């Protein structure tokens, strides 16, 4: 199995790579320090990545940025960070990658707990997460070649507690290796249109 892992150098991406290393030939993709460079906010960059990588059996994205700030102070430009990266970036991976994914392949995108459990300053991230989830649910009924699509929705991971712990007060973090199991279920399982919540 050839697995293209976008966001491979991040905390979640590293955990997914470790979990899948015995089941797949992993091609890492990220802005830096990866087998292939990609900027998911650029459709041209995404096209170049797929042209370099060629056919794959599974696509996983653990990348996606969002601006955190109060709605009353947020500018449209700040909101576009999540729109262009976590929302459209992931959806464009699907739209531009379908021709490269083999029969019975799979796609796994990343959402997050903020779409279900709101936090102050997290509206933009929640919007992107919810949009990706809705896209996955709808796209699942019409993807070609029996390709499956799911999303993994993690809570804050333990490895990011120092950075984000002050935002996620009262939330129980989960280890990235536990979240990686949900990606494995999506990649190797049979379900489609699902949200695998790791809260």
């Amino acid at each position: 199995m050839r697995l293209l892992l976008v966001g491979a150098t991040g905390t979640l991406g590293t955990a997914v790579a470790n979990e899948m290393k015995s089941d797949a030939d992993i091609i890492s993709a990220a802005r830096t320090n990866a087998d292939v460079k990609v900027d998911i906010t650029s459709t041209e960059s995404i096209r170049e990545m797929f042209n370099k990588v060629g056919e794959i059996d599974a696509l996983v994205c653990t990348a996606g940025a969002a601006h955190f700030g109060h709605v009353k102070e947020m500018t449209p430009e700040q909101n576009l960070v999540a729109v262009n990266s976590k929302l459209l970036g992931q959806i464009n991976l699907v739209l531009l990658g379908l021709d490269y994914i083999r029969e019975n392949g799979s796609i796994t995108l990343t959402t997050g707990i903020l779409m279900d459990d709101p936090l102050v300053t997290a509206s933009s991230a929640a919007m992107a997460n919810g949009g990706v989830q809705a896209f996955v649910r709808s796209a699942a009924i019409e993807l070609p070649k029996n390709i499956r699509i799911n999303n993994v929705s993690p809570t804050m991971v333990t490895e990011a507690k120092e950075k984000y712990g002050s935002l996620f007060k009262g939330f129980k973090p989960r280890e990235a290796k536990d979240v990686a199991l949900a990606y494995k279920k999506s990649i190797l399982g049979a379900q489609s249109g699902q949200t695998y919540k790791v809260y």
Side-chain angles (χ1 to χ4, degrees):
M1 170 190 285
R2 297 189 81 224
L3 165 61
L4 175 59
L5 178 54
V6 179
T9 58
T11 301
L12 281 181
T14 300
V16 172
N18 287 336
E19 185 61 42
M20 290 300 300
K21 62 186 177 184
S22 62
D23 296 286
D25 175 17
I26 300 171
I27 304 107
S28 64
R31 287 178 181 266
T32 57
N33 302 319
D35 296 327
V36 60
K37 290 184 179 181
V38 67
D39 174 1
I40 66 170
T41 66
S42 164
T43 55
E44 185 57 36
S45 179
I46 293 172
R47 286 190 179 96
E48 288 177 6
M49 174 188 69
F50 281 118
N51 285 334
K52 288 178 182 176
V53 171
E55 287 192 334
I56 56 173
D57 299 289
L59 168 65
V60 172
C61 182
T62 60
H67 171 78
F68 285 79
H70 293 278
V71 171
K72 65 180 180 179
E73 300 167 353
M74 191 183 307
T75 66
E77 291 76 19
Q78 289 171 329
N79 187 51
L80 281 176
V81 173
V83 171
N84 291 330
S85 181
K86 189 149 196 187
L87 179 59
L88 292 183
Q90 294 196 90
I91 291 172
N92 287 336
L93 284 171
V94 176
L95 301 180
L96 299 174
L98 282 177
D99 288 342
Y100 297 87
I101 301 173
R102 295 174 179 142
E103 186 85 19
N104 299 313
S106 73
I107 301 166
T108 308
L109 305 182
T110 301
T111 51
I113 194 171
L114 297 175
M115 66 183 178
D116 293 323
D117 200 349
L119 290 175
V120 173
T121 74
S123 294
S124 191
M127 168 207 64
N129 290 340
V132 171
Q133 182 191 47
F135 174 81
V136 165
R137 188 185 306 118
S138 183
I141 66 173
E142 61 172 299
L143 289 186
K145 299 182 287 186
N146 295 314
I147 296 171
R148 298 178 298 102
I149 184 169
N150 299 298
N151 68 103
V152 173
S153 180
T155 186
M156 177 186 67
V157 293
T158 304
E159 293 83 346
K161 188 174 181 180
E162 185 174 333
K163 186 174 182 180
Y164 295 109
S166 61
L167 181 65
F168 288 86
K169 291 178 180 176
F171 286 72
K172 182 178 180 180
R174 297 289 298 270
E175 291 187 13
K177 66 179 183 178
D178 293 334
V179 179
L181 290 172
Y183 288 91
K184 187 171 191 175
K185 181 190 291 186
S186 177
I187 297 163
L188 300 178
Q191 298 180 358
S192 192
Q194 301 299 306
T195 299
Y196 296 118
K197 298 180 180 181
V198 190
Y199 297 168

